[in-house]
Amino acid sequence: MSAAQMFLRGLAACGGSLALLVAGLALPAAAEPETPVVYSSGSTATRANGLGFDACSAPSLAALGAWRGTSPYGVVNIYFGGNNRGCAQPNLTPTWVRGAVAAGWKLLPTYFGYQPTCMFGNKPNRYNAGNATARGSSDGADAVAQAQALGVLSGSGLYADVENYDRTDGPCRTAVRRYVSAWTKTLHAAGYLAGVYVHQDSGLRDLSESYNWSAYARADAVWMARWDGDPSLTNWPTAPNSQWSYYQRAKQYQGDHDETHGGVTINIDSDSVRAPVATVARQYTVTSSTPLNARSGPSSSSPVVRTYAPGAALSVVCQGSGQQVGPTAVWDRLTNGAWVSDRYVSTPSGTGFSASVLPRCTYPGQVTVDLVNARTGPGASYPTTGSPLRRGALAYVMCQRAGSRVGTTAVWDKLRNGSWVSDYYVSNRSNTTWSSRVPRCP
């Protein structure tokens, strides 16, 4: 152990997170529990913040149309795969996914794969402590393939369903942690955020207990089942507010019941969601009268990678800030990773972000220290914002810029809310230089 590490440990023992506020002394975490996500070029995280519902089978687009605007819900769950999935999914196709998103819904993808041996219930496909890592890896790989087949893109949050189980079975608790860790690392390697659906009295307790353990990769988000009628995402009895603290929580607060909206009745569970969900491209067209250049970055000085004819279709993933072009500094990122100025695209706004339909381009990484101050600019001399990030929180990085050196890097991350943190404290792909896929700040 280095002198700096001994010093930090001593301070932490005496004063909690004080040690982690000493700039330049806090060291990056090991590979676990914070593993980096390997984003693809045409990717972004998409967040939801509101009420949702889950039904065993995906409702028809007509049913979703009847519920849109007449129900309190804006998020719908989809059981998109897994060998323990119980209900048929006749509606769940790429066309349905595109149609649901085009209608304004956000999708919460859930994978019902292998379950722990001590699970309550009769699901047949189980894992134990000996094969949990292999099962988590294989389920993760299959989940990525199933998501991609539906058009659910890199950067999406995918949720492994871990049903309630017997916590008195010690080896089974270990198996759950191994499964979730392998699920998380497999999804991260493929460019996806890893979520997990858990019961408040079993999975949430165990994952909360091992939140900082270096033996396991930490999931990016938790979706907790507790049917108490309370949609609150804080003050949960089995996980402190400091864990999964920033757009990383959902709660299933009411179980199996019928609701009718717009004349259509569906049997659902009700959810509160403030967490990453599915990223799905939306279709727009080129509005310029001359060919539109798509570039490697959000600037007219970036190299041209492709040209689109007037009226051509564009698959837009997200929007980011870039060089001012006419009345707007908004640039659109396409599924192939290229950027085009939003001035020449048929999105709803020609002067700013089309926030109601397109997410802001972000590339989250978990915070690797107990507490890190967010600042108003890319340097330790800038004032703090008063909203520090806790360990494991998702730092929703929009872009990177050079600033003051912290530890091994001078790279700073601009976050979704406009604040800045040193990249040294974020589990991106590098803590010494720029991270691939994240654009430079204009």
Side-chain angles (χ1 to χ4, degrees):
M1 182 181 298
S2 69
Q5 288 172 308
M6 292 178 66
F7 174 65
L8 287 176
R9 178 169 291 183
L11 274 180
C14 296
S17 61
L18 174 62
L20 298 154
L21 299 175
V22 182
L25 285 180
L27 301 176
E32 277 78 58
E34 302 93 5
T35 57
V37 181
V38 184
Y39 293 105
S40 72
S41 57
S43 64
T44 189
T46 299
R47 304 190 312 199
N49 186 16
L51 297 181
F53 73 91
D54 53 286
C56 196
S57 296
S60 68
L61 289 177
L64 288 184
W67 275 42
R68 186 67 184 158
T70 63
S71 78
Y73 305 114
V75 182
V76 57
N77 169 74
I78 53 172
Y79 287 101
F80 72 100
N83 58 14
N84 274 314
R85 182 175 63 172
C87 293
Q89 299 293 340
N91 295 320
L92 191 55
T93 66
T95 299
W96 183 94
V97 167
R98 290 193 298 270
V101 171
W105 291 93
K106 291 187 175 180
L107 307 181
L108 185 63
T110 308
Y111 185 89
F112 203 159
Y114 284 96
Q115 296 297 305
T117 55
C118 60
M119 170 200 164
F120 298 119
N122 57 5
K123 292 297 180 182
N125 301 300
R126 307 282 182 118
Y127 58 80
N128 55 41
N131 63 14
T133 296
R135 297 303 193 202
S137 298
S138 62
D139 275 0
D142 184 58
V144 168
Q146 298 289 346
Q148 291 174 340
L150 289 171
V152 176
L153 302 176
S154 171
S156 299
L158 307 180
Y159 291 76
D161 189 320
V162 178
E163 292 292 310
N164 194 17
Y165 57 88
D166 182 2
R167 291 188 71 245
T168 65
D169 186 331
C172 191
R173 295 171 63 193
T174 297
V176 170
R177 290 182 172 123
R178 289 176 178 172
Y179 176 90
V180 172
S181 180
W183 162 269
T184 298
K185 289 193 283 188
T186 302
L187 263 60
H188 282 187
Y192 288 78
L193 293 169
V196 59
Y197 169 90
V198 287
H199 193 277
Q200 72 146 2
D201 290 327
S202 54
L204 186 62
R205 284 185 185 273
D206 287 332
L207 296 180
S208 173
E209 183 181 43
S210 61
Y211 188 82
N212 289 327
W213 292 5
S214 61
Y216 305 106
R218 182 193 302 120
D220 298 297
V222 289
W223 176 14
M224 183 261 281
R226 188 188 190 202
W227 295 352
D228 60 358
D230 181 2
S232 176
L233 297 176
T234 58
N235 300 321
W236 291 353
T238 55
N241 291 337
S242 59
Q243 296 178 345
W244 299 288
S245 60
Y246 192 69
Y247 279 89
Q248 294 167 276
R249 290 188 174 202
K251 180 181 178 183
Q252 189 181 78
Y253 62 88
Q254 185 177 0
D256 186 35
H257 66 285
D258 288 342
E259 286 193 24
T260 302
H261 302 284
V264 174
T265 300
I266 306 175
N267 185 263
I268 66 169
D269 302 322
S270 296
D271 305 289
S272 178
V273 184
R274 184 178 170 87
V277 291
T279 295
V280 177
R282 300 191 64 154
Q283 302 302 306
Y284 298 98
T285 58
V286 175
T287 60
S288 61
S289 58
T290 57
L292 175 63
N293 287 329
R295 300 180 179 273
S296 62
S299 167
S300 60
S301 63
S302 298
V304 176
V305 296
R306 183 170 174 179
T307 299
Y308 291 90
L314 299 174
S315 295
V316 178
V317 177
C318 59
Q319 295 184 315
S321 298
Q323 179 186 0
Q324 185 84 20
V325 178
T328 186
V330 174
W331 285 66
D332 301 330
R333 195 160 204 182
L334 310 181
T335 52
N336 61 11
W339 296 83
V340 294
S341 170
D342 190 58
R343 182 185 184 187
Y344 305 113
V345 183
S346 64
T347 53
S349 176
T351 58
F353 292 101
S354 299
S356 62
V357 294
L358 285 167
R360 202 71 59 89
C361 297
T362 55
Y363 312 90
Q366 292 186 25
V367 171
T368 61
V369 291
D370 284 353
L371 202 67
V372 62
N373 282 319
R375 299 184 179 273
T376 60
S381 63
Y382 284 88
T384 62
T385 63
S387 300
L389 294 173
R390 297 184 180 276
R391 184 166 186 170
L394 283 180
Y396 285 85
V397 179
M398 291 196 303
C399 59
Q400 295 182 321
R401 175 180 289 180
S404 66
R405 178 167 290 275
V406 177
T408 57
T409 188
V411 174
W412 282 69
D413 300 330
K414 188 175 185 179
L415 305 185
R416 175 69 176 77
N417 62 7
S419 64
W420 296 79
V421 296
S422 169
D423 191 57
Y424 187 64
Y425 302 121
V426 179
S427 62
N428 289 321
R429 295 178 67 184
S430 173
N431 69 346
T432 60
T433 186
W434 312 102
S435 293
S436 176
R437 312 306 186 194
V438 180
R440 306 287 177 88
C441 298

